[in-house]
Amino acid sequence: MAAASPSVFLLMINGQVESAQFPEYDDLYCKYCFVYGQDWAPMAGLEEGISQIASKSQNVQRALVWNFPIDVTFKSTNPYGWPQIVLSVYGPDVFGNDVVRGYGAVHVPFSPGRYKKTIPMFVPESTSTLQKFTSWFMGRRPEYTDPKVVAQSEGREVTRVRSQGFATLIFNVVTKDLRKLGYDTGPAGTQNILGPSLPQSNLQ
Amino acid sequence: MNPNEEKVKIITEEFTENDEDAQVRRQKKKSRAQRQQRKKQPRTPGPEEMVSENCHVGPPLEPGEEKPDTHLLSTTARRGPRSLPPVPSTSRTGFAEFSMRERMREKLQAARSKAESALLQEIPTPRPRRLRSPSERESETEFGTEPSKEIQGTQQEDDLKSYTRVKFHDSVRKLKSKSQAPPGFPSAEEAYNFFIFNFDPGPEEQEEKPTVICRDGANQEEEEGEEEGPAQTGDETGEEGLLDGKDAEDFLLGLDPTAHNFVTVRAAEYESTHIRLQKEKEVLFVPSRLTVPTYKKLPENVQPRFLEDEGLYIGARPEVARNNQNIMENRLLMQESGRKWFGDDGRVLALPSPIKPSPSRPPQFTQELSNKAELETLYKKATKYIHRHQHMIGSGDPPGNFQLDIDISGLIFTHHPCFSREHVLASKLAQLYDQYLARHQRNKAKFLTDKLQALRNAVQTGLNPEKSHHSLDTTQTNINEYKSEIRQTRKLRDAEQEKDRTLLKNIIKVWKEMKSLREFQRFTNTPLKLVLRKEKVDQKADEEAYEAEIQAEINELLEEHAEEYAQKMEEYKTSHQQWKAWKKAQRAKKKKNKQAAEENPDEEGGEPFPEEEPVKPIPPEPTDTAIIEQQVRERAVHSRRRPGEPKLVPELTLAGNTTPNEQCPRVEVLRREDVKRRSVYLKVLFNNKEVSRTVSRQLGADFRVHFGQIFNLQIFNWPESLTLQVYETVGHSSTTLLAEVFLPIPETTLVTGRAPIEEVEFSSSQHVTLDHEGVGSGVPFSFEADGSNQLILMTSGKVSHSVAWAIGENGIPLIPPLSQQNIGFRSALKRADAISSIGTSGLTDMKKLAKWAAESKLDPNDPNNAPLMQLISIATSGESYIPNFFRIEQLQQEFNFVSDEELSRSKRFRLLSLRSQEVPEFRNYKQIPIYDREIMEKVFQDYEKRLRDRNVIETKDHLDAHRATVAKYLQQVRESVVNRFLIAKHHFLLTDLVAEEEVPNISILGLSLFKLAEQKRPLKPRRKGRKKVTAQNLSDGDIKLLVNIIRAYDIPVRKPIVSKFQQPSRSSRTFREPHAASPSAHSPAHSADYPLSQVLVRPFVEVSFQRTICHTTTAEGPNPSWNEELELPFRAPNEDYSTASLQSVKDDVYINIFDEVLYDVLEDDRERGSGIHTRIERHWLGCVKIPFSTIYFQTRIDGTFKIDIPPVLLGYSKEHNMIMERGFDYARSLSEGSYITLFITIEPQLVPAEPVREKFDSQEDEKLLQATEKFQAECALKFPHRQCLTTVIDISGKTVFITRYLKPLNPPPELLNVYPNNSQATTELVARYVSLIPFLPDSVSFAGICDLWSTSDQFLDLLAGDEEEHAVLLCNYFLSLGKKAWLVMGNAIPEGPTAYVLSREKNHYLIWNPCSGHCYGQYDTFCPLKTVGCLIGPDNIWFNIQEHDSPLRINFDVTKPKLWKSFFSRSLPYPGLSSVQPEELIYQRTDKAAVAELQDRIEKILKEKIMDWRPRHLTRWNRYCTSTLRHFLPLLESSQGDDVEDEHRAELLKQLGDYRFSGFPLHMPYSEVKPLIEAVYSTGVHNIDVPNVEFALAVYIHPYPKNVLSVWIYVASLIRNR
């Protein structure tokens, strides 16, 4: 009965904040949180998390590996405000102060499947060179008042940012009842395809 | 001995032993050099027998090889050298340092290890040699022996080799013996390393062999022992180097191996380029780049066929370079059946290039007629977006951007003061020539001639009887019409021809004049030159045509004349008849008159007239052909070219030369210089405002100025006028306005790029006389020497320009909407439609398009042209329906998945859109259901009701019509402010998004540097600020209100009298009566039996907030100390924890102080020993009320507050029975009231909202505003925490200077009349009146915390306001009462930043709290005002620059500039600002009846509420008591609660003697019912659950003018004493 006419759809996300590449920095940790619209509610899992501090690997890639799992399930009645994951990366500066090393956000993929997303990370810039120096000196770099700012478009025009590195996330997305409610997010004819559609299939 | 030699010898010596065997073997296997080498390997290091063994048993060696291999594999160094180049990296010496190394070697002759390493170096030396020609190969074999003597080595022959061999023998022996002498001289490692490093001299060619050698060598070396090892290794390396070269050589040349072949040297395999090329040629094919002849590409005997020539459509082939094409063709032809790749035309088959030059969408041609219905205009009501622009102050819609392009290309003067005479003529000539050209182009004469010819033909055919099949009448009339037409045309033609001719004549005349002038003045000024070209004409034909023309004309004229003549004859005949008749009558008359004439001579005068009039008509003369011909000819001569005369075609050129300056007379030079000094520019005036101007350009000698500037006017309004002003500058002197040119405003269809250049003439009326050759302007001058024939010319000229509308980026012309145009301004523009404004007019003209298509010979088969062709075919056939309107979003319909009605019917959609509009009801609506059916209809009910009620005033909630209106008004103001705030909220500053440290100034920097050195864990840590929490991620239960109740002072105590009336009762006595057996250990027993002893009170504090109640433990005595922390949860309305929502929380925190009274309820004394039955009663003593918003903004409230104690507390009194006269006692007793010390905060700390940062516009003087900013900045610099206020925002959102609010205003006259003689009482009454106006903080009423100041009349109308309004009103009243009064801006508890009123009495100052009406002396420690920031008077602002800011410690004497910094001073005097306050306040008398009604209703409501709050108990009302109370309340009002208590008590006692009574009156200003209910609730009267309790409740409302109502609520509970 209830299954026949669902009133919400579910979006299950699991995956991990796999690694990051910050060429200039080391010993970083990351926080993630989700930003979603009013019609969304987390059902299970953690919507915020803070990872361990990771050092750079010794190999050539010099990647910071967190392998920090994400596992959260949302329910919603409206695809508007589809969840976005907001990552913020922090680490010590030369004086040992914890400063922000990057912000980044990406929408959770819409259609079920496994995804690897690499998101560029950036930090707000100081407004002047003097402030840049003092902020460097005092270890109080400019930060967003709320990391969730990076998931919204309003008010961004007043900021200037610099890119810092990349973070790689893996998402495994499962949806439930989305199609029943009339939202077709998957690629055409993927009713039965469980995994992500391969690019070859599009060529046929 | 040369060490090199020595070494080589060593090597050779070794091999000589093997010579015989080797030779035999080599002869056998000459050709298999490879194999030889392999076999040699074991031999090299080992003794003879081993070698022989090996050489004979070649294959079995393999396992032997493998064994050492594995052995060596285990050694680490092995792998590296393999890949190393032949020269080991260890060698420090290069090839060039050879000689040096030799010297070294000499020194270390004996040291074999050195020698070995040196040998190593030599190994590469053979390599360069290998590249030499085969002729030198012989010598290469020798290289090992004498590397330093390479050249000599080449000449050496075999004999030398044999010699060396012998030498080797010896040396090896020597070495052997030597090596044994120092045992282990080269260590095992060294030797080993050497082995490893050096075996790879010819890596490529030797392939596996060297390693094998090495392995074996190493292996054996280890076996043999150390002493031999090094030597052998040395040999080996040398040998190998040689080996390579030789073997290769042998292999190549096939030479007979000799003895020395053991030392084989082999060169690299090499093929000469030539050979390689040849070989390659066999395998490879290089396609030629040459063009392949067509016949090759086609089957035999087939001619190429070009489809294109046959008219078939061939698409454009993709671009391929010719070269590549040729290569491809050649390549294809090489293949079998290559020809299939070629088409009939002999080219490679290719599809047309699929790439389009520009991306496009395929056009959609839907031919269905149903389109028509879809495309028809729909009416859609304009929707207004609510909160974006509605309440914006200032202009409405942002004007669009429109652009008008004005291209000013140049200016030509047709006359200028600096014109010389020649110029005048030249310009005349030019004008005439222009005229000629224009006429020539039109060629009207020719046209008319043709027309004439046609008409004549028509007449001819008409006259021709055979052809006329029409009825005669019509032909005749036609002919007549034609004839008249002919006549007119001929006249016109003649006139035209004459004009042409005169024009030509004039041109020639002017030119002649000019020529004569040039001759006369002996210089030329203008380059003008007229050339008359003669066009030869065929004399005869011309003459014939001329004659024919004349004849035709004559004939026509004759005909005409004949007609005329006939007509005249007709006329003549009739008139002649008349005349004859008249004559006859005359004659008869004459006869009669003759007699009469004599009698009456007067009549004679009258006679002649009639007599003369009918002149005898002259018969018309028949026209004379000769005369007519004469006339015609004359005219022809006059106006027409003579036959045979050549046609003159004038041509004006600028080819002439002007005379250079040197050859001109002085006056002319002056003129030219004057011209040079002049420059001209144009100003562009748009709607009479100058918008731009051209650059100033020098006037050319030809009086032409070229500007070539395009002005893009960005305009907002429809242009009304467009003017160009011509300015002339002479030298550096001033400019003069020559003329104004009015440009026409272009049609809306005229867009940039299509506007033609137009010329507009202008002329000036200025008079200029010049002292040189220039003729001046407006001055007469003459060409004649004698000055006759004067001319007056005015400055004039032409501006060539073009005006057009610009086209925006998307191709839409930037034309203002037509609505902006003045109606009737340009009627032509009214009919401008969508198409023209979009600029598609070119496309709509199908005829033009078709014509163009035909002309440009478009290929109709080309798919590129398909849409065009289709369009043309439609246009030409005219069958298809072409709508005459244009839809802009024609695809919208397609994308609408449901119709608009359906969309508006959808509840979900409605909910979503309302939420996105941030409508308060839905702003935080979470999880909007996915289906309409799941959305309850009632969701919208509230919202719809609100919308409906917006204009309906309902009195239900307010019980008072006036207040209802006010509430409505307030609601509207609030909405507008909220909307404003919503807009401001979406406007971000950097600080909103990015938290950034401010640039520290030097002191902060120093401090922070100091901080670095600070101890990490100081012994005396400082309190650190709590972390603030943004309100975003909060939910219910996260926020708690912490109330710390510390202590209280001077709590009222029970009066002994109370126990007195309890005395009769045996059953219920106070718990602490002495005979009560209760172990009242914690209280010193004071009993009613000791009336003189201190009376007790057991107070506790109850905090209620949002209906949550917490209370402390009970303490003892009138000065209790609780020191307890109470925690109350906070719930935000609608679970909305945004700052906007939080700051509008209206809830108050009630801190009630109760007395806990225990009553013994034991009925029977006998049970006293076995049980305790007591009842706890609590008596309300007073309360402190703190609004949540205050706590929210202050983040913490810490201080001692006065407890609001009702004026009458039955049964209680202040401990010190010394309530003073209220008055202005200088030092008032501290015990005036009761006080409580509190600390309140919110956990976690919330971030208070930022004030709205909107720059409000102002009507203040700009200078004043700047001064205020400066003043505030200065003050903030000195005392950053002191409040300094100079400008405030009034209710309409404008910035107003603060002193404008202060002005003496009259208090209500009723108040003044109460105590006419007591000014003190009056003052208090006025203060009380002000305090009775309800308090409503701005932050609550206006969701943002923009602090709006309303004027006093607005305040009284609204009947709500916060401290500022109260203070302003009170201050104004004081001023009008003649007091000196100021507004005090400062900090108070609990309000925080607030406004108080300071008044100066005779010898002291009083601080008034305008909201409570209380006044405090300056030195009152309990004064809630804690700091003073600034004082504001009606004409100045004083900022406190004293050290302290507590009112206790400062001097209020504002005249002292050292203590008070004044805003207006000598440097900036008070400008006399007018007040924003009204002249006078008008007070309406409050409607008594309405008030009485309200009173009843409130009473009823409250009673109902109390009953509701006691759901489990019966609530009885004691009417008798109620009426007593009701009578008592007005008394309280009149006395303001003073001095009535005793009487009141006595009266109550008298009437209700047998009741235990507790009760109190509450006094409040009236705003709404809800606060009253809350207040009653908070007292907890209803909580008494004694079964027989009775209640009494009386309400009294005292009306003050202007609807200010003072509400008294007396609540009491009565318990009958039994």
Side-chain angles (χ1 to χ4, degrees), chain B residues 575-824:
Chain B
S575 56
H576 193 70
Q577 289 285 321
Q578 278 173 355
W579 181 76
K580 270 186 177 167
W582 180 78
K583 201 83 174 168
K584 257 186 195 165
Q586 196 68 17
R587 250 179 240 146
K589 232 179 184 176
K590 239 181 188 170
K591 280 175 191 165
K592 281 181 198 169
N593 278 6
K594 259 191 184 161
Q595 298 98 21
E598 282 147 18
E599 294 154 26
N600 193 1
D602 279 359
E603 282 183 15
E604 283 291 330
E607 286 290 298
F609 183 68
E611 209 161 324
E612 270 171 19
E613 206 214 295
V615 187
K616 188 187 175 207
I618 305 147
E621 284 172 39
T623 45
D624 185 2
T625 325
I627 293 165
I628 287 172
E629 193 179 333
Q630 183 66 24
Q631 281 174 349
V632 168
R633 281 189 192 279
E634 258 175 38
R635 208 161 44 213
V637 166
H638 192 63
S639 67
R640 244 177 277 175
R641 190 164 50 84
R642 254 173 290 261
E645 189 188 278
K647 268 187 199 165
L648 282 180
V649 181
E651 267 175 26
L652 198 62
T653 57
L654 296 171
N657 293 325
T658 52
T659 319
N661 276 4
E662 309 88 64
Q663 296 167 20
C664 294
R666 213 179 65 81
V667 276
E668 171 60 16
V669 174
L670 272 178
R671 189 196 68 83
R672 288 189 185 185
E673 272 165 11
D674 189 30
V675 171
K676 268 185 199 159
R677 278 168 54 226
R678 287 170 192 254
S679 49
V680 177
Y681 67 88
L682 294 181
K683 273 185 188 173
V684 182
L685 275 76
F686 176 82
N687 287 354
N688 296 326
K689 283 173 203 134
E690 184 187 331
V691 286
S692 53
R693 55 172 76 180
T694 65
V695 289
S696 185
R697 285 275 161 84
Q698 212 181 42
L699 202 59
D702 52 353
F703 295 93
R704 279 164 194 265
V705 183
H706 178 75
F707 295 111
Q709 279 183 296
I710 298 175
F711 299 99
N712 301 327
L713 303 190
Q714 303 275 347
I715 57 173
F716 291 142
N717 301 319
W718 181 255
E720 276 158 17
S721 77
L722 210 54
T723 318
L724 299 179
Q725 285 184 337
V726 186
Y727 282 89
E728 191 187 41
T729 323
V730 184
H732 299 288
S733 58
S734 64
T735 56
T736 48
L737 171 66
L738 280 185
E740 280 197 333
V741 189
F742 294 93
L743 303 185
I745 288 140
E747 299 269 339
T748 46
T749 49
L750 205 59
V751 290
T752 306
R754 280 199 269 150
I757 296 276
E758 284 166 28
E759 287 191 335
V760 179
E761 294 191 357
F762 65 88
S763 72
S764 155
S765 57
Q766 65 172 0
H767 294 263
V768 182
T769 323
L770 295 168
D771 53 355
H772 50 72
E773 232 354 61
V775 292
S777 171
V779 213
F781 72 97
S782 163
F783 285 101
E784 313 294 325
D786 54 356
S788 65
N789 208 353
Q790 283 194 333
L791 267 138
I792 296 172
L793 287 176
M794 292 298 198
T795 306
S796 61
K798 284 185 278 189
V799 179
S800 52
H801 70 94
S802 78
V803 185
W805 295 104
I807 301 175
E809 278 170 14
N810 42 4
I812 295 168
L814 303 167
I815 301 174
L818 296 173
S819 60
Q820 277 197 29
Q821 296 171 32
N822 291 347
I823 294 162

Side-chain angles (χ1 to χ4, degrees), chain A residues 6-7 38-39 41 75 77-78 126-127 130-131 134 140 142-146 149 154-155 158-159 181 183, chain B residues 908 912 915 923-924 926-928 930-931 934 986 988-990 992-1000 1032:
Chain A
S7 59
Q38 280 179 309
D39 295 320
K75 72 169 175 184
T77 57
N78 191 354
S126 295
T127 41
L130 179 60
Q131 284 200 327
T134 53
R140 309 277 292 268
E143 282 180 33
Y144 281 121
T145 47
D146 183 359
V149 162
E154 215 175 30
V158 297
T159 63
L181 293 172
Y183 299 111
Chain B
R908 177 173 149 86
L912 285 169
R915 186 176 69 179
R923 198 181 301 157
N924 291 295
K926 295 229 166 89
Q927 296 244 330
I928 290 176
I930 201 153
Y931 292 118
E934 290 167 21
H986 290 279
F988 288 90
L989 284 186
L990 181 65
D992 298 337
L993 290 178
V994 179
E996 189 178 20
E997 287 281 293
E998 277 181 28
V999 176
Q1032 215 165 23

Side-chain angles (χ1 to χ4, degrees), chain B residues 1153-1308:
Chain B
I1153 294 118
F1154 290 93
D1155 177 23
E1156 189 182 80
V1157 187
L1158 297 172
Y1159 286 107
D1160 195 347
V1161 291
L1162 208 62
E1163 297 294 322
D1164 193 352
D1165 271 351
R1166 284 166 299 180
E1167 287 174 27
R1168 191 157 299 283
S1170 60
I1172 303 162
H1173 292 261
T1174 50
R1175 189 171 58 241
I1176 299 167
E1177 270 183 29
R1178 46 200 216 155
H1179 296 164
W1180 187 75
L1181 298 178
C1183 87
V1184 176
K1185 191 176 84 177
I1186 295 166
F1188 175 78
S1189 56
T1190 310
I1191 303 167
Y1192 178 61
F1193 285 113
Q1194 297 294 303
T1195 64
R1196 66 196 185 106
I1197 285 173
D1198 188 3
T1200 304
F1201 301 92
K1202 185 172 179 183
I1203 302 170
D1204 192 8
I1205 290 178
V1208 175
L1209 257 182
L1210 289 176
Y1212 290 88
S1213 71
K1214 293 304 290 285
E1215 194 180 356
H1216 318 274
N1217 214 354
M1218 45 181 285
I1219 296 169
M1220 297 210 160
E1221 280 288 306
R1222 280 187 78 102
F1224 306 131
D1225 305 331
Y1226 184 66
R1228 199 178 301 185
S1229 149
L1230 300 183
S1231 58
E1232 224 263 86
S1234 307
Y1235 295 89
I1236 185 164
T1237 308
L1238 293 171
F1239 177 82
I1240 305 177
T1241 189
I1242 305 169
E1243 177 66 37
Q1245 191 172 9
L1246 298 173
V1247 181
E1250 297 284 313
V1252 180
R1253 315 158 297 261
E1254 229 177 309
K1255 185 86 183 161
F1256 295 99
D1257 43 350
S1258 174
Q1259 289 170 344
E1260 298 290 348
D1261 186 20
E1262 197 55 42
K1263 248 169 77 183
L1264 188 68
L1265 287 177
Q1266 281 169 9
T1268 60
E1269 272 167 37
K1270 195 169 145 244
F1271 184 74
Q1272 272 184 318
E1274 280 170 10
C1275 297
L1277 201 67
K1278 272 189 193 162
F1279 299 100
H1281 298 297
R1282 287 188 194 169
Q1283 219 186 342
C1284 176
L1285 213 57
T1286 51
T1287 54
V1288 292
I1289 299 145
D1290 73 359
I1291 204 146
S1292 59
K1294 290 211 170 65
T1295 308
V1296 175
F1297 193 67
I1298 196 164
T1299 59
R1300 290 184 191 261
Y1301 277 92
L1302 294 181
K1303 179 202 170 192
L1305 282 176
N1306 55 317

